[in-house]
PDB file of all heavy atoms in Angstrom:
ATOM      1  N   ARG A  26       0.982   4.964   3.746  1.00  0.00           N
ATOM      2  CA  ARG A  26       2.198   4.207   3.940  1.00  0.00           C
ATOM      3  C   ARG A  26       3.401   5.102   3.729  1.00  0.00           C
ATOM      4  O   ARG A  26       3.335   6.106   3.022  1.00  0.00           O
ATOM      5  CB  ARG A  26       2.289   3.009   2.999  1.00  0.00           C
ATOM      6  CG  ARG A  26       2.457   3.329   1.525  1.00  0.00           C
ATOM      7  CD  ARG A  26       2.382   2.063   0.687  1.00  0.00           C
ATOM      8  NE  ARG A  26       2.544   2.357  -0.734  1.00  0.00           N
ATOM      9  CZ  ARG A  26       2.360   1.458  -1.697  1.00  0.00           C
ATOM     10  NH1 ARG A  26       1.979   0.207  -1.383  1.00  0.00           N
ATOM     11  NH2 ARG A  26       2.535   1.794  -2.961  1.00  0.00           N
ATOM     12  N   GLN A  27       4.503   4.712   4.362  1.00  0.00           N
ATOM     13  CA  GLN A  27       5.749   5.443   4.218  1.00  0.00           C
ATOM     14  C   GLN A  27       6.899   4.467   4.103  1.00  0.00           C
ATOM     15  O   GLN A  27       7.151   3.700   5.053  1.00  0.00           O
ATOM     16  CB  GLN A  27       5.960   6.416   5.365  1.00  0.00           C
ATOM     17  CG  GLN A  27       7.150   7.320   5.166  1.00  0.00           C
ATOM     18  CD  GLN A  27       7.157   8.487   6.138  1.00  0.00           C
ATOM     19  OE1 GLN A  27       6.509   8.472   7.172  1.00  0.00           O
ATOM     20  NE2 GLN A  27       7.880   9.552   5.794  1.00  0.00           N
ATOM     21  N   ALA A  28       7.571   4.489   2.978  1.00  0.00           N
ATOM     22  CA  ALA A  28       8.755   3.659   2.761  1.00  0.00           C
ATOM     23  C   ALA A  28       9.996   4.470   3.157  1.00  0.00           C
ATOM     24  O   ALA A  28       9.958   5.700   3.160  1.00  0.00           O
ATOM     25  CB  ALA A  28       8.821   3.239   1.296  1.00  0.00           C
ATOM     26  N   PRO A  29      11.084   3.787   3.481  1.00  0.00           N
ATOM     27  CA  PRO A  29      12.306   4.480   3.879  1.00  0.00           C
ATOM     28  C   PRO A  29      12.745   5.484   2.809  1.00  0.00           C
ATOM     29  O   PRO A  29      12.824   5.149   1.626  1.00  0.00           O
ATOM     30  CB  PRO A  29      13.327   3.355   4.013  1.00  0.00           C
ATOM     31  CG  PRO A  29      12.510   2.150   4.346  1.00  0.00           C
ATOM     32  CD  PRO A  29      11.234   2.327   3.575  1.00  0.00           C
ATOM     33  N   GLY A  30      13.019   6.713   3.229  1.00  0.00           N
ATOM     34  CA  GLY A  30      13.485   7.743   2.305  1.00  0.00           C
ATOM     35  C   GLY A  30      12.440   8.346   1.423  1.00  0.00           C
ATOM     36  O   GLY A  30      12.733   9.146   0.548  1.00  0.00           O
ATOM     37  N   LYS A  31      11.159   7.963   1.641  1.00  0.00           N
ATOM     38  CA  LYS A  31      10.080   8.479   0.805  1.00  0.00           C
ATOM     39  C   LYS A  31       9.042   9.200   1.655  1.00  0.00           C
ATOM     40  O   LYS A  31       8.970   8.985   2.879  1.00  0.00           O
ATOM     41  CB  LYS A  31       9.433   7.343   0.014  1.00  0.00           C
ATOM     42  CG  LYS A  31      10.351   6.697  -1.001  1.00  0.00           C
ATOM     43  CD  LYS A  31       9.578   5.687  -1.845  1.00  0.00           C
ATOM     44  CE  LYS A  31      10.478   5.073  -2.911  1.00  0.00           C
ATOM     45  NZ  LYS A  31       9.723   4.108  -3.771  1.00  0.00           N
ATOM     46  N   GLN A  32       8.251  10.021   0.991  1.00  0.00           N
ATOM     47  CA  GLN A  32       7.187  10.696   1.696  1.00  0.00           C
ATOM     48  C   GLN A  32       6.017   9.769   1.958  1.00  0.00           C
ATOM     49  O   GLN A  32       5.810   8.775   1.227  1.00  0.00           O
ATOM     50  CB  GLN A  32       6.712  11.895   0.854  1.00  0.00           C
ATOM     51  CG  GLN A  32       7.712  13.033   0.788  1.00  0.00           C
ATOM     52  CD  GLN A  32       7.113  14.266   0.124  1.00  0.00           C
ATOM     53  OE1 GLN A  32       6.236  14.158  -0.738  1.00  0.00           O
ATOM     54  NE2 GLN A  32       7.581  15.426   0.510  1.00  0.00           N
ATOM     55  N   ARG A  33       5.254  10.094   2.981  1.00  0.00           N
ATOM     56  CA  ARG A  33       4.052   9.322   3.267  1.00  0.00           C
ATOM     57  C   ARG A  33       3.048   9.529   2.141  1.00  0.00           C
ATOM     58  O   ARG A  33       2.858  10.663   1.669  1.00  0.00           O
ATOM     59  CB  ARG A  33       3.462   9.766   4.596  1.00  0.00           C
ATOM     60  CG  ARG A  33       2.321   8.893   5.108  1.00  0.00           C
ATOM     61  CD  ARG A  33       1.879   9.301   6.493  1.00  0.00           C
ATOM     62  NE  ARG A  33       2.908   9.071   7.509  1.00  0.00           N
ATOM     63  CZ  ARG A  33       2.687   9.126   8.803  1.00  0.00           C
ATOM     64  NH1 ARG A  33       1.488   9.396   9.271  1.00  0.00           N
ATOM     65  NH2 ARG A  33       3.673   8.903   9.656  1.00  0.00           N
ATOM     66  N   GLU A  34       2.402   8.446   1.702  1.00  0.00           N
ATOM     67  CA  GLU A  34       1.428   8.549   0.625  1.00  0.00           C
ATOM     68  C   GLU A  34       0.134   7.854   0.995  1.00  0.00           C
ATOM     69  O   GLU A  34       0.116   6.871   1.758  1.00  0.00           O
ATOM     70  CB  GLU A  34       1.986   7.931  -0.689  1.00  0.00           C
ATOM     71  CG  GLU A  34       2.299   6.461  -0.615  1.00  0.00           C
ATOM     72  CD  GLU A  34       2.879   5.924  -1.929  1.00  0.00           C
ATOM     73  OE1 GLU A  34       2.957   6.680  -2.909  1.00  0.00           O
ATOM     74  OE2 GLU A  34       3.244   4.728  -1.950  1.00  0.00           O
ATOM     75  N   LEU A  35      -0.960   8.385   0.466  1.00  0.00           N
ATOM     76  CA  LEU A  35      -2.276   7.810   0.697  1.00  0.00           C
ATOM     77  C   LEU A  35      -2.456   6.587  -0.171  1.00  0.00           C
ATOM     78  O   LEU A  35      -2.340   6.673  -1.403  1.00  0.00           O
ATOM     79  CB  LEU A  35      -3.363   8.837   0.416  1.00  0.00           C
ATOM     80  CG  LEU A  35      -4.800   8.372   0.607  1.00  0.00           C
ATOM     81  CD1 LEU A  35      -5.065   7.953   2.055  1.00  0.00           C
ATOM     82  CD2 LEU A  35      -5.768   9.459   0.152  1.00  0.00           C
ATOM     83  N   VAL A  36      -2.764   5.461   0.434  1.00  0.00           N
ATOM     84  CA  VAL A  36      -2.925   4.206  -0.302  1.00  0.00           C
ATOM     85  C   VAL A  36      -4.390   3.975  -0.650  1.00  0.00           C
ATOM     86  O   VAL A  36      -4.715   3.602  -1.769  1.00  0.00           O
ATOM     87  CB  VAL A  36      -2.381   3.031   0.540  1.00  0.00           C
ATOM     88  CG1 VAL A  36      -2.646   1.709  -0.168  1.00  0.00           C
ATOM     89  CG2 VAL A  36      -0.896   3.230   0.816  1.00  0.00           C
ATOM     90  N   ALA A  37      -5.255   4.159   0.342  1.00  0.00           N
ATOM     91  CA  ALA A  37      -6.681   3.879   0.128  1.00  0.00           C
ATOM     92  C   ALA A  37      -7.482   4.684   1.140  1.00  0.00           C
ATOM     93  O   ALA A  37      -7.022   4.904   2.262  1.00  0.00           O
ATOM     94  CB  ALA A  37      -6.973   2.387   0.287  1.00  0.00           C
ATOM     95  N   ALA A  38      -8.669   5.103   0.732  1.00  0.00           N
ATOM     96  CA  ALA A  38      -9.498   5.885   1.639  1.00  0.00           C
ATOM     97  C   ALA A  38     -10.986   5.683   1.312  1.00  0.00           C
ATOM     98  O   ALA A  38     -11.348   5.379   0.167  1.00  0.00           O
ATOM     99  CB  ALA A  38      -9.158   7.371   1.547  1.00  0.00           C
ATOM    100  N   ILE A  39     -11.791   5.843   2.345  1.00  0.00           N
ATOM    101  CA  ILE A  39     -13.240   5.923   2.186  1.00  0.00           C
ATOM    102  C   ILE A  39     -13.617   7.320   2.625  1.00  0.00           C
ATOM    103  O   ILE A  39     -13.434   7.690   3.775  1.00  0.00           O
ATOM    104  CB  ILE A  39     -13.976   4.868   3.025  1.00  0.00           C
ATOM    105  CG1 ILE A  39     -13.506   3.467   2.697  1.00  0.00           C
ATOM    106  CG2 ILE A  39     -15.473   4.996   2.797  1.00  0.00           C
ATOM    107  CD1 ILE A  39     -14.128   2.379   3.557  1.00  0.00           C
ATOM    108  N   ILE A  40     -14.163   8.074   1.689  1.00  0.00           N
ATOM    109  CA  ILE A  40     -14.527   9.465   1.957  1.00  0.00           C
ATOM    110  C   ILE A  40     -16.002   9.631   1.638  1.00  0.00           C
ATOM    111  O   ILE A  40     -16.403   9.534   0.465  1.00  0.00           O
ATOM    112  CB  ILE A  40     -13.672  10.444   1.141  1.00  0.00           C
ATOM    113  CG1 ILE A  40     -12.190  10.223   1.443  1.00  0.00           C
ATOM    114  CG2 ILE A  40     -14.060  11.879   1.442  1.00  0.00           C
ATOM    115  CD1 ILE A  40     -11.249  11.027   0.567  1.00  0.00           C
ATOM    116  N   SER A  41     -16.785   9.800   2.649  1.00  0.00           N
ATOM    117  CA  SER A  41     -18.250   9.919   2.500  1.00  0.00           C
ATOM    118  C   SER A  41     -18.805   8.774   1.674  1.00  0.00           C
ATOM    119  O   SER A  41     -19.640   8.976   0.781  1.00  0.00           O
ATOM    120  CB  SER A  41     -18.621  11.276   1.874  1.00  0.00           C
ATOM    121  OG  SER A  41     -18.204  12.332   2.709  1.00  0.00           O
ATOM    122  N   GLY A  42     -18.313   7.592   1.911  1.00  0.00           N
ATOM    123  CA  GLY A  42     -18.806   6.399   1.239  1.00  0.00           C
ATOM    124  C   GLY A  42     -18.136   6.086  -0.077  1.00  0.00           C
ATOM    125  O   GLY A  42     -18.357   4.996  -0.643  1.00  0.00           O
ATOM    126  N   ASN A  43     -17.302   6.977  -0.585  1.00  0.00           N
ATOM    127  CA  ASN A  43     -16.611   6.736  -1.862  1.00  0.00           C
ATOM    128  C   ASN A  43     -15.235   6.153  -1.612  1.00  0.00           C
ATOM    129  O   ASN A  43     -14.491   6.621  -0.764  1.00  0.00           O
ATOM    130  CB  ASN A  43     -16.472   8.047  -2.644  1.00  0.00           C
ATOM    131  CG  ASN A  43     -17.824   8.615  -3.042  1.00  0.00           C
ATOM    132  OD1 ASN A  43     -18.675   7.913  -3.597  1.00  0.00           O
ATOM    133  ND2 ASN A  43     -18.053   9.881  -2.726  1.00  0.00           N
ATOM    134  N   LEU A  44     -14.897   5.144  -2.408  1.00  0.00           N
ATOM    135  CA  LEU A  44     -13.607   4.483  -2.276  1.00  0.00           C
ATOM    136  C   LEU A  44     -12.590   5.144  -3.190  1.00  0.00           C
ATOM    137  O   LEU A  44     -12.875   5.461  -4.338  1.00  0.00           O
ATOM    138  CB  LEU A  44     -13.727   2.993  -2.638  1.00  0.00           C
ATOM    139  CG  LEU A  44     -14.761   2.185  -1.872  1.00  0.00           C
ATOM    140  CD1 LEU A  44     -14.741   0.735  -2.350  1.00  0.00           C
ATOM    141  CD2 LEU A  44     -14.522   2.245  -0.391  1.00  0.00           C
ATOM    142  N   ASN A  45     -11.387   5.340  -2.644  1.00  0.00           N
ATOM    143  CA  ASN A  45     -10.305   5.946  -3.407  1.00  0.00           C
ATOM    144  C   ASN A  45      -9.042   5.128  -3.209  1.00  0.00           C
ATOM    145  O   ASN A  45      -8.756   4.713  -2.090  1.00  0.00           O
ATOM    146  CB  ASN A  45     -10.053   7.387  -2.918  1.00  0.00           C
ATOM    147  CG  ASN A  45     -11.269   8.273  -3.072  1.00  0.00           C
ATOM    148  OD1 ASN A  45     -11.472   8.894  -4.105  1.00  0.00           O
ATOM    149  ND2 ASN A  45     -12.076   8.332  -2.028  1.00  0.00           N
ATOM    150  N   TYR A  46      -8.318   4.923  -4.300  1.00  0.00           N
ATOM    151  CA  TYR A  46      -7.091   4.110  -4.226  1.00  0.00           C
ATOM    152  C   TYR A  46      -5.952   4.776  -4.977  1.00  0.00           C
ATOM    153  O   TYR A  46      -6.169   5.412  -6.032  1.00  0.00           O
ATOM    154  CB  TYR A  46      -7.331   2.716  -4.833  1.00  0.00           C
ATOM    155  CG  TYR A  46      -8.293   1.876  -4.065  1.00  0.00           C
ATOM    156  CD1 TYR A  46      -9.630   1.769  -4.438  1.00  0.00           C
ATOM    157  CD2 TYR A  46      -7.865   1.153  -2.946  1.00  0.00           C
ATOM    158  CE1 TYR A  46     -10.520   0.993  -3.740  1.00  0.00           C
ATOM    159  CE2 TYR A  46      -8.766   0.371  -2.234  1.00  0.00           C
ATOM    160  CZ  TYR A  46     -10.090   0.304  -2.621  1.00  0.00           C
ATOM    161  OH  TYR A  46     -10.962  -0.477  -1.911  1.00  0.00           O
ATOM    162  N   LEU A  47      -4.762   4.570  -4.464  1.00  0.00           N
ATOM    163  CA  LEU A  47      -3.554   4.936  -5.184  1.00  0.00           C
ATOM    164  C   LEU A  47      -3.501   4.090  -6.459  1.00  0.00           C
ATOM    165  O   LEU A  47      -3.850   2.879  -6.431  1.00  0.00           O
ATOM    166  CB  LEU A  47      -2.342   4.627  -4.289  1.00  0.00           C
ATOM    167  CG  LEU A  47      -0.953   4.970  -4.793  1.00  0.00           C
ATOM    168  CD1 LEU A  47      -0.784   6.474  -4.862  1.00  0.00           C
ATOM    169  CD2 LEU A  47       0.082   4.364  -3.840  1.00  0.00           C
ATOM    170  N   ASP A  48      -3.112   4.692  -7.572  1.00  0.00           N
ATOM    171  CA  ASP A  48      -3.146   3.964  -8.851  1.00  0.00           C
ATOM    172  C   ASP A  48      -2.387   2.636  -8.783  1.00  0.00           C
ATOM    173  O   ASP A  48      -2.820   1.612  -9.340  1.00  0.00           O
ATOM    174  CB  ASP A  48      -2.569   4.826  -9.965  1.00  0.00           C
ATOM    175  CG  ASP A  48      -3.534   5.897 -10.427  1.00  0.00           C
ATOM    176  OD1 ASP A  48      -4.732   5.811 -10.091  1.00  0.00           O
ATOM    177  OD2 ASP A  48      -3.098   6.822 -11.146  1.00  0.00           O
ATOM    178  N   SER A  49      -1.268   2.633  -8.094  1.00  0.00           N
ATOM    179  CA  SER A  49      -0.409   1.452  -8.119  1.00  0.00           C
ATOM    180  C   SER A  49      -0.996   0.267  -7.315  1.00  0.00           C
ATOM    181  O   SER A  49      -0.477  -0.855  -7.403  1.00  0.00           O
ATOM    182  CB  SER A  49       0.983   1.786  -7.566  1.00  0.00           C
ATOM    183  OG  SER A  49       0.900   2.222  -6.217  1.00  0.00           O
TER     184      SER A  49
END
């Protein structure tokens, strides 16, 4: 996701079956 004036950030991903989430 990318909010106005901010850098794009990874929110959630599935990498080789493993789930990853942004802490927030």
Side-chain angles (χ1 to χ4, degrees):
R26 68 185 181 190
Q27 187 165 20
K31 295 187 177 181
Q32 289 188 330
R33 188 174 295 192
E34 62 181 356
L35 179 62
V36 176
I39 303 176
I40 302 173
S41 298
N43 296 309
L44 304 180
N45 300 272
Y46 294 97
L47 183 68
D48 283 347
S49 63

